Amino acid sequence: MKKILLLVLSLCLVAALLIFCGAVERDKNIFGSTDEKENTIYIGVIEPLTGDDAPGAMREVLGFRYANAVCPTVDINGVTYNVKLLEADSMSSENGSENAAKSLIYSNVAAVLGAYDSENASYCLPLFEKEKIPVIGVSCSSPKIDADNFFRMCFTDSFQCGAAANLAYSMDCRKAAVLTQTADVYSKAAGKIFADEFSRLGGEVVNLSFQSGQENFKALAEEIKD
C-alpha cells in the first residue's frame, strides 16, 4: 500500500513540474481565461476505458484519481492552482486513441498521463508531440515508445524481461516456456525479449500462445508440465 501511495504522489509531483515547464513553452493559456477556469490546471488522462485493455487501464485511472484527491492543488511561484483531471477514452483502438488525443488537445490540457497500453500510446503520442504537450507514461513499457515530450515512470520491457531471464537462469533454470497472447503486439514483443536473452545465456525456450478471451488453460498447463 505504501508503494502505491508513493507512486501516485510522485506522479502528481512530476506532472506539476512538467506543467510548469509547459506553461513557459506553450503559446496557449493553460491556466484558462474565464472566471471558472481561473487558477486551474487541467491534466489529461488518456486510457482505454473500453475494449480489451479496459480492466487494467481502470486500475491505472483509479490511481490518478486517488493522487488528485490527495494532491488537488499545486503552488507555482507563490500562486496556488487547482489541479483537475480530464479523462478521455482511447477505446483500445487506433481511431479511438487519436480521437481521445484530439479531444484533450482541444480542451487545452497542460500535460497528459497514460496510456496503459504501449500500442495505444504510440497512436496518440505524435499528436501531443506536435502540440508540445508533455506526456507521462506510467505503465507503457515498450522501448519503441519514445519522443522528446515523452517521460516514462516505469522500466522498459528490455530491462524487465532481460532481468527476468537472468533471474531464471541464475536459479539454475535451463528450460523455459514463454506463453504469449496471439496477435497481441505487446505480449509478443515482451516474450521475444525474454526468449532471446534466456537463449543467449544458454537456456532453452518453448514458445506457446493463447487466444484473446481464452478461459480454459488446462491443455496449455499440461503442455508446459510435459
Side-chain angles (χ1 to χ4, degrees):
M1 182 62 187
K2 289 183 178 179
K3 289 184 178 180
I4 297 175
L5 179 59
L6 288 173
L7 172 64
V8 293
L9 289 178
S10 297
L11 181 61
C12 268
L13 291 174
V14 173
L17 289 173
L18 288 176
I19 289 165
F20 174 72
C21 294
V24 175
E25 298 266 344
R26 298 177 65 202
D27 294 329
K28 296 180 180 178
N29 178 16
I30 65 172
F31 302 115
S33 56
T34 64
D35 291 340
E36 182 182 4
K37 295 182 179 180
E38 189 69 26
N39 290 355
T40 298
I41 295 174
Y42 294 93
I43 299 179
V45 173
I46 187 164
E47 296 283 1
L49 301 179
T50 55
D52 294 339
D53 299 320
M58 179 49 67
R59 290 193 290 269
E60 196 162 284
V61 170
L62 291 176
F64 297 153
R65 292 176 183 175
Y66 178 66
N68 189 221
V70 174
C71 300
T73 62
V74 61
D75 292 333
I76 301 177
N77 292 338
V79 180
T80 298
Y81 295 93
N82 296 313
V83 178
K84 301 292 184 182
L85 299 180
L86 296 180
E87 298 175 7
D89 182 9
S90 62
M91 304 174 67
S92 302
S93 68
E94 182 174 359
N95 288 336
S97 296
E98 292 178 352
N99 289 334
K102 290 176 182 178
S103 70
L104 292 178
I105 292 171
Y106 179 78
S107 298
N108 213 19
V109 296
V112 175
L113 305 175
Y116 172 76
D117 181 81
S118 295
E119 189 173 8
N120 290 326
S122 68
Y123 297 143
C124 60
L125 190 57
L127 297 174
F128 293 127
E129 185 177 22
K130 182 179 179 180
E131 296 296 325
K132 298 182 180 180
I133 298 175
V135 178
I136 305 175
V138 180
S139 60
C140 41
S141 52
S142 172
K144 295 182 179 180
I145 307 300
D146 189 28
D148 290 339
N149 67 320
F150 182 69
F151 303 84
R152 195 193 309 269
M153 289 189 64
C154 57
F155 291 111
T156 64
D157 294 332
S158 300
F159 178 86
Q160 296 184 80
C161 298
N166 277 272
L167 175 62
Y169 198 82
S170 71
M171 297 172 66
D172 296 327
C173 297
R174 294 297 180 265
K175 192 171 185 179
V178 177
L179 181 61
T180 58
Q181 181 178 321
T182 302
D184 181 77
V185 176
Y186 168 77
S187 178
K188 290 295 184 183
K192 186 178 186 306
I193 293 171
F194 176 92
D196 289 348
E197 178 63 14
F198 194 72
S199 298
R200 186 191 68 80
L201 293 169
E204 180 184 351
V205 174
V206 177
N207 291 294
L208 302 170
S209 62
F210 65 95
Q211 300 290 333
S212 175
Q214 182 172 333
E215 296 181 356
N216 189 338
F217 290 84
K218 183 177 181 180
L220 279 170
E222 290 293 335
E223 190 172 354
I224 291 172
K225 181 180 178 181
D226 291 341

